Amino acid sequence: MSGALRGTDLPLPVVRRGKVRDVYAVGDDRVLLVATDRVSAFDVVMAEAIPHKGAVLTQLTAWWLRRLEGVVAHHMLSADADAIVAEVPALAPHRDLLRGRAMLCVRTEVYPVECVVRGYLSGSAWKEYREAGTLAGEPLAPGLRESERFDPPRFSPATKAETGHDENIPPSKVAELLGADRASELERLAQLVYAAGRDLAAERGIIIADTKFEFGARDGRTLLIDEVLTPDSSRFWPADGYAPGRGQPSFDKQPLRDWLDAERRAGRWNGEAPAPTLPPEVVQATSLRYLDAYRRLTGAALDLATS
């Protein structure tokens, strides 16, 4: 497999470096998001990167945003490297690095919550429900099974965490943080985007079990920002094998999680940084899983020459 990009060093002011994205300022009103191939699992960033992962996240987000026109306003200006370089000539020497993995966006004031929508009971929600019968401390109906469908989907926000775990919070907490009107708007928009994504993915044989969105404010408007309906921000399941009462296979970094979990159970890893060195076959399997998600959703293979 081709090489992977672990980090960037561009001639622009750095806004922040996240687990996956390097964010640069472009003047006062725009940002450049560059998705590297870094990967984390169990809140630990791996030393190895996953080839093509950053391009999958960027190009899949751009694909979704183009299809969400008319549903929600968003921050994307361009995901085309040539157009970005035309706007920011200082990036010309880095055109090849940017190709496929960079997005020029409107800069916003980011709301400090993850807007999670859960269509099914899984992940941290299932863990809490199994232990306490609640989600973010609020009771759910008794007798639910793992991977049970929520009807209607549940707005299940979380705090934002650069390191460590996000924390599930009740919707009422968003109202305390941002006011009732803003909280209502975020819930409405998150549910709209989830419904549009869920319905389109269903046509392609994929269940979007849950997903998280971020929103920001600009000139009095709320915009959808960051990544949208990707394998990193969402739980994708194959519809043809779905059955409640158990966990489901997913189109994301599950091969990586499975290998790390086996290392932890065997006592070869304590779950803290640094993570053990990933075998090449785990890196390859994880990369292929991301590429498969892209192909299934968009109907076309990712152009590997641009990633």
Side-chain angles (χ1 to χ4, degrees):
M1 304 188 74
S2 67
L5 181 69
R6 182 156 175 79
T8 64
D9 183 17
L10 300 178
L12 295 171
V14 176
V15 176
R16 67 181 180 89
R17 297 189 190 275
K19 291 178 180 176
V20 173
R21 284 168 187 76
D22 294 343
V23 183
Y24 295 89
V26 180
D28 295 330
D29 59 352
R30 295 176 295 175
V31 290
L32 183 73
L33 276 59
V34 185
T36 71
D37 296 321
R38 294 192 296 266
V39 65
S40 66
F42 305 116
D43 300 313
V44 175
V45 178
M46 305 294 113
E48 298 77 19
I50 303 300
H52 313 303
K53 176 177 180 283
V56 166
L57 300 183
T58 299
Q59 293 305 310
L60 191 54
T61 292
W63 184 87
W64 278 113
L65 290 178
R66 289 190 288 267
R67 279 150 186 80
L68 290 167
E69 297 284 356
V71 176
V72 63
H74 59 74
H75 71 159
M76 183 177 73
L77 297 171
S78 178
D80 177 79
D82 293 332
I84 292 171
V85 168
E87 285 286 319
V88 192
L91 294 174
H94 307 277
R95 187 191 309 261
D96 289 344
L97 179 148
L98 298 175
R99 203 173 299 281
R101 63 175 70 248
M103 185 179 292
L104 185 65
C105 302
V106 172
R107 191 166 190 170
T108 68
E109 182 180 349
V110 181
Y111 296 124
V113 292
E114 300 275 8
C115 293
V116 180
V117 180
R118 299 184 183 277
Y120 295 77
L121 182 57
S122 188
S124 63
W126 166 246
K127 181 175 184 294
E128 179 183 338
Y129 177 78
R130 185 180 57 201
E131 294 172 353
T134 61
L135 174 56
E138 298 187 328
L140 294 179
L144 298 178
R145 297 167 292 175
E146 184 177 8
S147 305
E148 190 96 52
R149 183 180 178 185
F150 287 126
D151 190 14
R154 297 185 67 93
F155 180 61
S156 175
T159 57
K160 292 166 63 69
E162 278 300 304
T163 60
H165 294 285
D166 294 341
E167 179 185 354
N168 295 329
I169 57 175
S172 59
K173 182 65 175 178
V174 182
E176 291 179 20
L177 291 170
L178 302 175
D181 290 346
R182 183 69 69 217
S184 178
E185 179 189 34
L186 294 182
E187 179 172 358
R188 178 181 64 82
L189 291 174
Q191 289 279 16
L192 275 175
V193 178
Y194 174 75
R198 174 199 60 199
D199 293 348
L200 193 153
E203 296 173 3
R204 291 153 168 77
I206 291 177
I207 292 170
I208 301 181
D210 54 50
T211 190
K212 63 180 179 180
F213 304 115
E214 292 195 50
F215 294 91
R218 176 64 184 267
D219 299 331
R221 303 172 68 209
T222 294
L223 305 182
L224 178 63
I225 67 170
D226 202 49
E227 64 182 303
V228 178
L229 296 165
T230 73
D232 271 17
S233 66
S234 314
R235 211 179 303 268
F236 296 148
W237 296 338
D240 57 6
Y242 167 71
R246 58 171 172 79
Q248 314 295 315
S250 58
F251 295 106
D252 59 8
K253 50 194 171 189
Q254 198 60 47
L256 170 60
R257 290 197 195 98
D258 289 346
W259 185 82
L260 287 172
D261 192 47
E263 291 295 289
R264 190 160 52 180
R265 290 198 311 270
R268 292 187 291 265
W269 182 46
N270 63 2
E272 303 292 334
T277 300
L278 301 180
E281 60 270 22
V282 172
V283 172
Q284 181 180 36
T286 304
S287 180
L288 291 174
R289 190 70 66 94
Y290 277 88
L291 292 168
D292 189 31
Y294 181 92
R295 179 189 60 78
R296 287 179 182 244
L297 282 167
T298 68
L302 182 72
D303 182 0
L304 299 184
T306 66
S307 65

